[in-house]
Amino acid sequence: MFTEAELLAVFRALSNPTRRRMLVWLKDPMSFPGQESEDVEIGVCVTDIAQRTGLGQSTTSQYLAILRQAGLVIATRRGKWTYYRRDEANIARLLDTLHDVF
């Protein structure tokens, strides 16, 4: 079960429409141009996410960091690149908490 502080972090992270869209997009990593099937396990490169958002890489990275701190995505470094994927286990735990609380 999520604590009240964890729920607050999730709600803050999801209060931004672009961050919500990022989370939805990451549900289907193959929808990103150039995404290879072997990359799905590590996620989508922040550069590709930034390109889809139309925002700068710095802003995109900040948004993804907020989603990561809320426990909604997992970051993986590969060389100088960072890849993001949804944390499906934590999202399921969040949904269970919401069901129990509300």
Side-chain angles (χ1 to χ4, degrees):
M1 191 125 154
F2 272 64
T3 65
E4 190 172 325
E6 289 171 325
L7 280 176
L8 184 58
V10 167
F11 291 143
R12 283 185 179 154
L14 296 178
S15 69
N16 179 287
T18 302
R19 290 193 294 261
R20 286 193 308 270
R21 281 193 297 272
M22 288 176 175
L23 197 58
V24 170
W25 295 335
L26 289 173
K27 194 171 185 177
D28 182 16
M30 292 304 294
S31 70
F32 287 84
Q35 188 75 9
E36 302 290 333
S37 58
E38 63 267 6
D39 294 338
V40 170
E41 289 185 27
I42 64 164
V44 178
C45 183
V46 68
T47 303
D48 296 330
I49 299 168
Q51 186 174 9
R52 184 171 282 183
T53 65
L55 299 171
Q57 191 164 340
S58 174
T59 301
T60 302
S61 292
Q62 288 174 351
Y63 281 6
L64 289 163
I66 291 168
L67 290 172
R68 185 184 52 75
Q69 290 165 354
L72 300 171
V73 297
I74 297 169
T76 303
R77 284 279 294 164
R78 240 195 211 170
K80 64 181 180 174
W81 307 110
T82 303
Y83 294 80
Y84 288 88
R85 63 183 165 87
R86 290 166 47 113
D87 186 340
E88 295 297 347
N90 222 23
I91 291 171
R93 189 170 72 93
L94 169 65
L95 294 175
D96 287 342
T97 300
L98 292 174
H99 181 266
D100 290 345
V101 171
F102 298 107

